[in-house]
Amino acid sequence: MQAEVVIVGGGVAGLAAKRWLHRQEVHEVLLLELEEQVGGNAASGHSEVSAYPWGAHYLPVPDTRNQDLLDFLREAGVITGYDAATGLPIYNEYHLCHDPEERLNIQGYWQSGLVPELGVPAADRQQIARFFALIEQLRQAKGHDGKDAFAIPVDHSSADDTFRQLDLLSFGDYLAREGFTSPYLCWYLDYCCKDDYGATTATTSAWAGLHYFAARKGSAHNATASDVLTWPEGNGFLVHHLRRASPENILPQTLAYALRETSDGVEVLAYDVRAQQSVQLKAKQVLLATPQFVTQRLLAGVAESKALACYHAPWVVANLTVDGLPQGPGRPLCWDNVVYGSKSVGYVNANHQDLAMTADERKVITLYWPLADEAPDLARRAAYQTSYDEWLQRIMAELETAHPGVTPHVAQADIWVWGHGMIAPTPGFLWHSERLAAAQPLRQKIFFAHTDLSGMSIFEEGFYQGIRAAREILASA
Ligand SMILES: Cc1cc2nc3c(=O)[nH]c(=O)nc-3n(C[C@H](O)[C@H](O)[C@H](O)COP(=O)(O)OP(=O)(O)OC[C@H]3O[C@@H](n4cnc5c(N)ncnc54)[C@H](O)[C@@H]3O)c2cc1C
């Protein structure tokens, strides 16, 4: 087969690149995806009751300076228009996360919000308030170069050393240094690192730990920076719209396994799982939208090593179809439901955005469990060796702590192990020259895009990396 450009990998980055090339009239593009469906970590599934996410499930309301993202959200119907007076985007109310949004089970009671409040002593509350005052300062902070200290995409952040040096120490060490010792605050921040990066405060860089909060600068006519957009299928909704923008020439179940450089381009060798045969694709240019552990293998035959050592956090995600959830005291079921001190980062109600006024108690809840207790390779190996029944047992034990008596209500349990779930921004990774070097094209023939190259795995970064690489391809023509 022949194409102008072959994209390997149909995650957010690969699909965003394909959409971008399509918009610029480059139509001879082939995308290879090893799975049955595109989407990567933002893929979705469904049970009889509801669609559900297999990984990514929300997008925070973006910064209005992120024009490429805003244009895409307008295209997908997530933004319905712009307010005439302020120029701010108006978000589709069906897609903004409805109330009630978050609750935390602490001391056997469901409190509102995820920052511990119930039974938290005054001294701890003061520390929590001091931490959020610091975050407010950092949100406004700019470096000597005039850029925001913390921005999304990460690469738009200031190069000022005052901030970048925070990347060299762990978030845990930074918190201790700044006198943030409250066990409640430390639990909450550890939970945040697990939730966003699949790592702990000990394994996340201080810059990244602060970025989680300080980079959120979204604004809208009908939403604030703390609001999020979500769908029953999670970011599978966004994947669907990325794919729809350029649906042709996507080859699923096609695994790229080697590259060969030729005088006028690149050959990609791939295995077509359905036909059970190898195929040879000739292209002028290739975009590897694959995680680093795959990219490095694909590059083995063509290039000097561009090895980038990554911490890929393993995760387990369970989609549980339930016919009811026995409730404890406190706030009723929310979109995001977390238990203080638990191993998982809680569950999300996939049916939360449902407006049907029926008495049907059936729903799908998506439980997220980052395997952050051990080094990622050990946790990954152990996870692969754990049977479905063992996972089910652990997941039910976890759920029983929040909802005693829930087990008989679980009608179906769909479980997925993500061995290399997401990159974690460990100390020293984000602002090391190797990260930027790994994104550089090789001889204007082989290009790279993936959230691994951002050092943070969020939709905005995958989308940015895909467009950045597509722009490089266009500029090289
Ligand atoms: C459990 C979990 C929860 C998450 N939650 C959120 C969230 O709520 N919000 C958010 O913004 N982000 C979330 N993320 C992060 C999410 O990973 C990113 O937002 C984004 O989807 C990553 O896109 P990507 O294109 O960089 O990578 P990937 O999703 O890794 O895409 C790479 C693609 O390449 C394919 N591929 C790999 N090797 C080959 C090969 N040899 N040949 C062909 N194809 C190949 C893969 O199958 C995959 O489709 C979550 C991640 C996980 C694991």
Side-chain angles (χ1 to χ4, degrees), residues 291-321:
Q292 279 296 307
F293 68 97
V294 174
T295 300
Q296 284 163 24
R297 284 172 186 244
L298 289 174
L299 284 181
V302 292
E304 63 283 10
S305 166
K306 286 192 89 178
L308 180 65
C310 299
Y311 178 117
H312 283 115
W315 283 75
V316 172
V317 177
N319 275 292
L320 307 169
T321 302

Side-chain angles (χ1 to χ4, degrees), residues 431-453:
W431 299 117
H432 198 289
S433 57
E434 275 179 10
R435 180 179 69 83
L436 296 173
Q440 290 303 310
L442 288 174
R443 296 176 283 283
Q444 299 306 323
K445 284 184 186 169
I446 306 173
F447 295 78
F448 304 94
H450 191 271
T451 42
D452 282 4
L453 299 172

Side-chain angles (χ1 to χ4, degrees), residues 9 11-13 33-34 40-41 56-58 255-256 422 450-451 457-459:
V12 169
E33 168 53 50
L34 73 84
N41 295 343
H57 53 291
Y58 74 96
L255 165 81
M422 56 167 73
H450 191 271
T451 42
S457 195
I458 52 176
F459 181 88

